[in-house]
Structure formats: C-alpha cells, structure tokens
Amino acid sequence: MGTHDDKTATCGTICIKYLLFLFNFLFWLAGGAVMAVGIWTLVEKSDYISLLSSSTYAASAYILIVAGGIVMVTGVLGCCATFKEKRRLLRVYFVLLLCIFLLEVVAGVLAYIYYQKLNDELKEHLQLTLVEKYKQPSEEHVTRAVDKLQQEFKCCGSSSYSDWTESRWVRSADAKGRAVPDSCCKTPSAGCGLRKHPSNIYNVEGGCITKLENFIQEHLKIISAVGIGIACVQIVGMVVTCCLYRDLKAEPY
C-alpha cells in the first residue's frame, strides 16, 4: 500500500516538475516581452516624455524594464530549482516571483493613477511648454518633441494653432514673421509657417492635447494589460511552486 502511494506521489511530483518547467519557459519569454515594451516606451517615445511635467509615465516604463529583467533571470533559476529539486532554490524562486508580482502591481497602480490625471496635466503643461520653451536655448529636446508631435499627429498648437500667438519664439525676430512653426504645415518646408490658413496648416478639433492624451492613454493600457497578464501567470506559478515544494523532501543541513 505504501509503495503504491510512493509511486503516486512520484508521478504527481514529476507532473508538477514538468508543468513548472513549461511555466518557466513561458515566463522567460514573457519577461522578454515586458522588457521590450518598457524599452520601446523609453526609446521610441522618449521625445514625448519631455513634454510631460511628471515622471510617472517614464517610471512605469522603467519598472517594466526592471521587472522584465528579473523575470528572465527568475525563469532560469526556476528551471534549475525544478530539475535539481532543491527546496532552498525553490524558496528563493518563490520570493523573486512575489517581488516581481509586487513590482507589476506598483506599475499598474501608477499607470492607473496617471491615466486619471493625464488630461489636467497636459492642459496645464503643454501650453506652457509651447509658449516658454519652443526654440529656446538649451531646450532643443523640447523643440524636437513638439515638431515631432505636430507632424506625427497632424495637429498644431496645444488646443489650436492660435496658441502660438503667445509663443516667445513667434514674437521674436528668430521666427522671421512665421505665425506658427513649419511643423504645423501639411506639407512642411522652410518658411511655410508664414501662412496660417487652414488649407496650409493642421487645424484639428482639440489640438495636440487631445492627440497626445489619446496616444498616452492607449500606451498606458498596453502597459497595464502586459502587467496584469504577467501577474496572473505568476499567481499560477507560485501555486505550482508551493505544490512542488510540499512534495519534495526536506534537505539535510
């Protein structure tokens, strides 16, 4: 009777081991995906980050990169712990899973909070950025971000092209009589910003605020979805780890 129970326990342990191995392989791949989303946010969209007054958006991306790196290392550790059947390694693995889970919860909470206050921040900050920083010394990154924003999203000004009338640059001699930057033009060329007729420049309802807000909100949804997805997978992993830990014999000290 005891032998039958031992065989049943052994078969159960083997099944759990292979299940945990499969989980770790998928977990490792997921870590790469999480890291990729974070890096893409910072590299490809870093110009837009300079237009935001708070660092919450960037912080969410950094958390994803750190979490993704830890996930990949943890996946390898989990495979080693599983096949070597070391309870101590399983304990370390479980603690790392828990830490990653908490990191992703923090990233998700930050993304949600930022999602709620994004419109107010853009209304307060984007107009000020256009008026005070565009084409000013040592603000080249802001100038590049504004030009990229207006061209990519086919918009002009914070709320409308008339916002540029308050700009320090437009009022200066450097503008050479331009009413808006050349990046507002539907077909950009040197000096095209001299004419602000709707046939020449972008004039969309809501201006660049609406366009940028929609873009960031969509990206925050991606960050949240990735974080929640990995977190759900981790819960399964922690449960399976506990099952394997329970089935393994205690190691001699």
Side-chain angles (χ1 to χ4, degrees), residues 100-129:
I100 297 165
F101 179 80
L102 293 175
L103 269 177
E104 284 162 353
V105 168
V106 170
V109 170
L110 283 176
Y112 177 77
I113 292 172
Y114 193 60
Y115 186 93
Q116 301 299 314
K117 67 174 188 177
L118 180 59
N119 183 264
D120 291 337
E121 177 184 325
L122 287 176
K123 282 180 179 176
E124 291 174 8
H125 190 69
L126 189 57
Q127 173 64 15
L128 183 64
T129 298

Side-chain angles (χ1 to χ4, degrees), residues 74-95:
T74 303
V76 175
L77 176 63
C79 289
C80 294
T82 301
F83 279 100
K84 290 188 176 182
E85 298 187 358
K86 297 291 185 181
R87 296 184 93 200
R88 290 177 222 176
L89 279 178
L90 281 174
R91 284 199 294 268
V92 174
Y93 173 66
F94 182 87
V95 170

Side-chain angles (χ1 to χ4, degrees), residues 43-197:
V43 174
E44 292 295 322
K45 310 302 174 185
S46 59
D47 287 334
Y48 297 145
I49 292 173
S50 65
L51 299 177
L52 306 173
S53 59
S54 76
S55 58
T56 309
Y57 182 58
S60 296
Y62 280 117
I63 289 174
L64 281 183
I65 292 172
V66 172
I70 298 174
V71 163
M72 296 185 78
V73 173
T74 303
V76 175
L77 176 63
C79 289
C80 294
T82 301
F83 279 100
K84 290 188 176 182
E85 298 187 358
K86 297 291 185 181
R87 296 184 93 200
R88 290 177 222 176
L89 279 178
L90 281 174
R91 284 199 294 268
V92 174
Y93 173 66
F94 182 87
V95 170
L96 284 174
L97 280 180
L98 186 59
C99 289
I100 297 165
F101 179 80
L102 293 175
L103 269 177
E104 284 162 353
V105 168
V106 170
V109 170
L110 283 176
Y112 177 77
I113 292 172
Y114 193 60
Y115 186 93
Q116 301 299 314
K117 67 174 188 177
L118 180 59
N119 183 264
D120 291 337
E121 177 184 325
L122 287 176
K123 282 180 179 176
E124 291 174 8
H125 190 69
L126 189 57
Q127 173 64 15
L128 183 64
T129 298
L130 267 60
V131 169
E132 298 292 334
K133 296 184 178 181
Y134 185 78
K135 293 281 189 180
Q136 299 305 304
S138 74
E139 299 290 353
E140 291 83 4
H141 63 293
V142 171
T143 300
R144 183 172 60 252
V146 171
D147 286 337
K148 182 178 178 180
L149 173 68
Q150 295 189 142
Q151 275 297 295
E152 276 197 6
F153 294 123
K154 296 177 171 46
C155 58
C156 183
S158 177
S159 299
S160 72
Y161 68 87
S162 61
D163 294 331
W164 284 107
T165 58
E166 303 296 323
S167 168
R168 290 173 61 186
W169 173 72
V170 167
R171 292 182 169 188
S172 71
D174 293 337
K176 297 180 180 177
R178 288 179 177 85
V180 295
D182 294 339
S183 58
C184 279
C185 299
K186 295 177 180 178
T187 305
S189 61
C192 67
L194 288 166
R195 194 167 66 94
K196 59 180 181 180
H197 192 273

